[in-house]
Amino acid sequence: MGFWSDFGRGISSHISALEFIAKHKLWLYFLFPVLLVGLLFLAGFASVYSLGDLLVDKAFDWLEGYSDTGMGWIDSIINVLLWLLSVGLKFFFRMYFFSYILKVMRYIVLICCSPMMALLSERVDEIITGRKYPFRFGHRR
């Protein structure tokens, strides 16, 4: 099998899954994960943005004491270079922390949504096979 045939099969499977969800009105099961991902994304983005700025600003506050040579044109060149370096480092730290937040966020979403996805799985199995599963907290021995 080639890449394109597998890719086409994947697209058609997603389309048929969306049709199944729409036909059986299972959209409510996806509302909580979408809201959770949105909330975690906004909180993660805000924290990454401020953490990257804080780290770079603290480092450059410390470096500014060493950038004053007493010569006007050298000081201006040093200040421009420090500004360029701070912009680059802020971008680097934001991207690094953002990628870390995304890695952690997928596990948080998986942990928080797994009970609901188990209920969804039982509901889909009930629709397809007709078997009913009794709901209970915990498990019996």
Side-chain angles (χ1 to χ4, degrees):
M1 291 273 186
F3 169 77
W4 293 110
S5 63
D6 290 342
F7 184 77
R9 206 168 350 130
I11 295 295
S12 65
S13 296
H14 276 80
I15 291 171
S16 63
L18 289 174
E19 289 171 351
F20 182 85
I21 290 168
K23 178 181 176 185
H24 298 287
K25 297 177 178 76
L26 299 173
W27 292 108
L28 188 61
Y29 286 99
F30 296 98
L31 183 62
F32 177 70
V34 167
L35 292 175
L36 182 65
V37 166
L39 182 68
L40 286 174
F41 180 79
L42 290 175
F45 184 75
S47 64
V48 161
Y49 195 84
S50 62
L51 182 61
D53 283 351
L54 178 72
L55 287 175
V56 172
D57 288 342
K58 290 290 182 186
F60 279 91
D61 286 345
W62 178 75
L63 280 176
E64 280 181 357
Y66 297 105
S67 67
D68 190 17
T69 62
M71 295 191 237
W73 63 277
I74 292 180
D75 286 343
S76 63
I77 291 174
I78 289 174
N79 287 333
V80 168
L81 291 175
L82 285 176
W83 178 79
L84 287 173
L85 184 62
S86 73
V87 169
L89 283 176
K90 283 181 184 180
F91 178 76
F92 170 76
F93 278 123
R94 286 176 187 163
M95 290 298 108
Y96 177 75
F97 289 136
F98 190 69
S99 67
Y100 182 74
I101 290 291
L102 287 178
K103 287 179 184 178
V104 171
M105 189 172 74
R106 66 180 165 191
Y107 293 112
I108 293 171
V109 170
L110 182 64
I111 290 168
C112 292
C113 294
S114 62
M116 189 180 339
M117 292 300 129
L119 288 173
L120 177 63
S121 172
E122 290 177 358
R123 177 76 176 115
V124 168
D125 192 38
E126 180 182 329
I127 291 169
I128 292 174
T129 64
R131 280 186 266 159
K132 294 202 182 261
Y133 296 95
F135 178 75
R136 62 182 181 269
F137 286 105
H139 88 65
R140 257 185 253 166
R141 291 184 178 215

